[in-house]
């Protein structure tokens, strides 16, 4: 009897990427006795994505397009899960490139560990060429545990239990036990779901054999805006569960908040108190600049010296974007 893997994909306005993505999924290998169904939840795209998907689904009946009127990722994921029939569910992202055995390795890791969610490390890679040097800097900084606060999901060699994995794949029983994704969250719905699994006694497992490559933003401004959104939505997850998934999620907001408080005090407080606040502000800025410089040098030694001029701004975009979003 053939067993079924359900691939779930939220998307919106992906005209330039949807066909290469579908081709890569269609080429996935799965173990004998398993078959794929692919459900794409389109958030009412208006750029031609729907026409391309409709045509693809007509020629490959493993693929199915459904509507996602909520337009956000969490709504799309839940719609796909409700429509799916497989005993194992794998989430994919349109902007990620997958090893040909990605599905097979997800299945093998689940069968070996019995975990409630399995996935691979979050690997970022920029494009080649002089015009994409900033994107390469964004990817190199993203991969650094010093920039990411020690997140194991950025460790390409780590094998074991973690607090979150990139994308994820689940036996259907996980959703029966812990529920679906929180549709009030525009971002961080995966972090919230993983925190729910942990608090409910479930396990999340990362395997270095589950390989994919994420293509990051290509400008400092885009990184800043992306991480400002991540930072903005993280406190909603914390409020819901009464805790942070990790202390690293609190640090950017505390850092930026301390800068703001010291700046205000240095202006408003009279005499020596104002001078003290200004001195502490200068010290905090100096220590941060030195730390970012040292981290940039370390990253450039392994990823390329041509990235060095761009790394300080990229790292600051990650930290200040997240911190300002959290405070807001």
């Amino acid at each position: 009897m053939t067993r079924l893997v359900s691939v779930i994909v939220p998307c919106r306005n992906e005209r330039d990427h949807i066909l290469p993505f579908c081709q890569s999924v269609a080429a996935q290998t799965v173990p004998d006795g398993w078959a794929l169904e692919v459900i794409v939840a389109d958030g009412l795209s208006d750029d031609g994505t729907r026409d391309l998907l409709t045509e693809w689904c007509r020629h490959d009946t493993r693929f199915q397009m459904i509507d996602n009127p909520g337009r956000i990722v969490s709504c799309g994921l839940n719609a796909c899960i409700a429509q799916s029939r497989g005993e194992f569910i794998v989430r994919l992202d349109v902007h990620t490139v997958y090893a040909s055995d990605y599905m097979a390795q997800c299945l093998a890791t689940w069968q070996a560990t019995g975990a409630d969610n399995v996935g691979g490390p979050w690997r970022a890679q920029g494009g080649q060429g002089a015009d994409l040097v900033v994107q390469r800097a964004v990817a190199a900084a993203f991969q650094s545990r010093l920039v990411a606060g020690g997140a194991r999901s950025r460790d390409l060699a780590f094998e074991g239990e973690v607090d979150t994995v990139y994308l994820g794949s689940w036996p259907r029983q996980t959703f029966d036990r812990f529920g679906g994704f929180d549709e009030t969250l525009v971002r961080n719905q995966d972090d919230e779901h993983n925190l729910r699994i942990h608090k409910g006694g479930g396990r999340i497992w990362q395997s270095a054999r589950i390989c994919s490559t994420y293509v990051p933003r290509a400008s400092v401004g885009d990184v800043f805006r992306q991480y400002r959104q991540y930072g903005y939505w993280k406190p909603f997850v914390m409020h819901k569960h009464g805790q942070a998934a990790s202390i690293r999620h609190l640090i950017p907001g505390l850092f930026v908040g301390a800068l703001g408080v010291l700046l205000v005090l240095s202006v408003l407080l009279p005499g020596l108190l104002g001078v003290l606040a200004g001195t502490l502000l200068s010290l905090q800025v100096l220590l941060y600049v030195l730390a970012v410089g040292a981290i940039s040098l370390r990253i450039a030694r392994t990823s390329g010296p041509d990235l060095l001029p761009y790394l300080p701004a990229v790292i600051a975009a990650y930290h200040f974007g997240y911190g300002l979003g959290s405070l807001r």
Side-chain angles (χ1 to χ4, degrees):
M1 180 178 176
T2 300
R3 305 168 74 181
L4 192 62
V5 176
S6 295
V7 179
I8 60 173
V9 187
C11 83
R12 173 172 163 77
N13 288 342
E14 297 288 0
R15 178 184 58 196
D16 295 335
H17 305 281
I18 193 65
L19 290 184
F21 168 78
C22 289
Q23 290 165 357
S24 70
V25 177
Q28 282 284 314
T29 59
V30 293
D32 291 340
W34 288 87
L36 291 180
E37 69 168 3
V38 185
I39 304 171
V40 182
D42 179 73
L44 307 183
S45 296
D46 54 14
D47 69 339
T49 298
R50 293 176 67 84
D51 294 336
L52 294 172
L53 266 174
T54 299
E55 185 67 16
W56 181 274
C57 294
R58 191 164 64 215
H59 288 92
D60 190 335
T61 56
R62 295 175 300 173
F63 286 72
Q64 176 187 1
M65 182 182 70
I66 63 174
D67 287 338
N68 173 21
R71 299 191 179 190
I72 62 173
V73 170
S74 50
C75 295
L77 292 173
N78 286 341
C80 288
I81 293 167
Q83 189 72 19
S84 67
R85 298 175 292 122
E87 64 178 279
F88 192 69
I89 299 171
V90 179
R91 176 190 172 181
L92 297 184
D93 176 79
V94 173
H95 288 268
T96 298
V97 179
Y98 304 90
S100 60
D101 65 346
Y102 185 89
M103 308 283 185
Q105 291 296 344
C106 287
L107 279 167
T109 302
W110 166 56
Q111 291 170 329
T113 65
D116 300 280
N117 182 11
V118 302
W122 199 348
R123 175 191 176 115
Q125 182 174 305
Q128 298 304 310
D131 58 330
L132 292 174
V133 64
V134 175
Q135 187 181 59
R136 287 175 50 222
V138 170
F142 178 89
Q143 218 63 60
S144 170
R145 293 190 70 194
L146 294 172
V147 177
R152 283 179 170 171
S153 61
R154 313 287 175 89
D155 185 345
L156 303 182
F158 183 78
E159 186 95 19
E161 288 198 42
V162 290
D163 57 2
T164 187
V165 289
Y166 181 49
L167 298 177
S169 57
W170 312 262
R172 180 171 293 278
Q173 293 91 328
T174 294
F175 296 105
D176 296 336
R177 180 179 174 188
F178 300 105
F181 294 91
D182 187 337
E183 296 187 3
T184 67
L185 298 175
V186 175
R187 296 272 192 179
N188 300 111
Q189 66 283 328
D190 48 350
D191 288 342
E192 189 278 329
H193 194 256
N194 285 325
L195 181 56
R196 209 184 319 151
I197 291 174
H198 268 301
K199 292 185 70 174
R203 293 190 305 141
I204 301 168
W205 192 276
Q206 179 171 301
S207 172
R209 294 185 296 275
I210 301 173
C211 299
S212 65
T213 301
Y214 160 72
V215 181
R217 302 297 197 272
S219 76
V220 173
D222 284 346
V223 170
F224 176 82
R225 285 183 286 273
Q226 179 187 22
Y227 274 76
R228 187 176 59 192
Q229 288 186 39
Y230 285 144
Y232 177 85
W233 287 100
K234 182 63 70 174
F236 291 93
V237 177
M238 297 177 188
H239 176 72
K240 179 176 179 178
H241 291 280
Q243 68 177 77
S246 172
I247 189 65
R248 68 176 181 271
H249 297 143
L250 302 174
I251 293 174
L254 293 173
F255 170 74
V256 175
L259 284 176
V261 169
L262 288 173
L263 177 61
V264 171
L265 292 179
S266 68
V267 173
L268 296 182
L269 289 178
L272 288 177
L273 290 177
V275 172
L276 177 60
T279 302
L280 291 174
L281 173 64
S282 298
L283 181 61
Q284 184 178 351
V285 171
L286 176 62
L287 291 174
Y288 182 73
V289 168
L290 291 174
V292 168
I295 294 170
S296 297
L297 285 169
R298 180 170 177 176
I299 295 172
R301 277 199 297 268
T302 57
S303 300
D306 59 325
L307 305 185
L308 186 57
Y310 307 97
L311 283 167
V314 167
I315 294 170
Y318 278 120
H319 293 158
F320 280 87
Y322 198 102
L324 287 169
S326 296
L327 291 176
R328 182 184 175 193

